[in-house]
Amino acid sequence: MAGVHFLDAAAPDGMRLYAIGDVHGRLDLLRAMHAQIRAELKRDRPDDWRIIHLGDYVDRGPDSNGVIDFLVDRTAEDDRVIALAGNHDDGLLAFLRDGDRTGLFARFGGADTARSYGVAADFSTTEAAASSRAALAAKVPEKHVDFLGNLRVSQEFGDFFFCHAGIRPGVPLDRQDREDLVWIRDAFLHHPELHPKVIVHGHTPHEEAEILANRVNVDTLAYASGRLTALVVDGREKRVLEAVAG
């Protein structure tokens, strides 16, 4: 099957797509992005629309608790709001299950997530990590755990395939491995050829939206840069939307 080039790729007829990059605890930027999207939808009144969040809602930023709570509510209110899993979201679930002090959560921003739930996490020893896990598990609402545990790993609309990290080149989209969809980097990022669909992803921070022939990366390091980025597709028209910290 011939691949799809970004310039030729289109959303389904009558459907506008918004794909939002890694949030990492920046509830302020997520709220601002949704406010902009609501204003556009009210103004333009497209026949249909989808908002696709590409994962990594927790860690590093100040309010992972608030981000998850916001997404729990929004996805419950309207099934056109979609949330996909990122590796950091999986990392939080893994820590809640086993308290591993060497895992992703403990090593890359989990203390910030724990703090947003009112827990001062300590990963210095196995015993301290186990105590932190118990304290955090007591504070994380069941609806948050259910939300994280039921996140999809990919979504397709029109000529676009959405996931957190990317795909394994050469593997059919419907046979992609979950580990690749939330973790892959080099084999995907350095692949020069077109894919069956344009891959829209986050996971690998970039100074600005990275738009290539075969993929679009909308992870602009929101927790540090103060910029949350989304790709907007309406028919064959594409543009970038940003929420910027005031």
Side-chain angles (χ1 to χ4, degrees), residues 59 105-106 108-116 119-121 123:
D59 299 347
F105 183 79
F108 296 103
D112 301 303
T113 296
R115 193 175 301 113
S116 74
V119 173
F123 309 118

Side-chain angles (χ1 to χ4, degrees), residues 106-231:
R107 293 181 295 124
F108 296 103
D112 301 303
T113 296
R115 193 175 301 113
S116 74
Y117 286 98
V119 173
D122 180 357
F123 309 118
S124 60
T125 66
T126 299
E127 293 75 15
S131 177
S132 296
R133 186 215 67 80
L136 185 58
K139 290 292 188 73
V140 176
E142 184 176 349
K143 66 179 183 178
H144 287 198
V145 176
D146 290 343
F147 170 79
L148 292 169
N150 288 290
L151 293 172
R152 312 175 200 184
V153 289
S154 66
Q155 187 73 61
E156 298 180 51
F157 292 105
D159 294 323
F160 296 89
F161 182 92
F162 303 88
C163 59
H164 176 62
I167 65 165
R168 179 69 57 179
V171 176
L173 295 180
D174 61 357
R175 294 175 56 192
Q176 290 289 322
D177 184 79
R178 190 185 200 283
E179 187 82 356
D180 285 331
L181 292 170
V182 300
W183 275 102
I184 197 168
R185 278 208 167 103
D186 289 352
F188 166 67
L189 297 174
H190 302 313
H191 184 74
E193 299 174 14
L194 299 180
H195 302 296
K197 296 191 177 189
V198 174
I199 312 303
V200 184
H201 66 98
H203 183 57
T204 301
H206 206 263
E207 187 174 336
E208 58 187 16
E210 187 182 18
I211 301 174
L212 303 176
N214 61 358
R215 64 179 179 87
V216 178
N217 176 12
V218 287
D219 179 2
T220 51
L221 202 71
Y223 74 91
S225 70
R227 291 185 297 112
L228 180 63
T229 301
L231 174 69

Side-chain angles (χ1 to χ4, degrees), residues 66-113:
V67 167
I68 296 177
D69 214 45
F70 179 88
L71 291 173
V72 166
D73 290 344
R74 290 293 289 120
T75 54
E77 289 167 0
D78 196 318
D79 61 11
R80 292 173 293 184
V81 180
I82 297 164
L84 303 180
N87 59 314
H88 282 262
D89 312 311
D90 283 356
L92 170 55
L93 274 178
F95 182 77
L96 290 172
R97 290 176 181 138
D98 60 29
D100 181 7
R101 62 187 286 260
T102 66
L104 174 73
F105 183 79
R107 293 181 295 124
F108 296 103
D112 301 303
T113 296

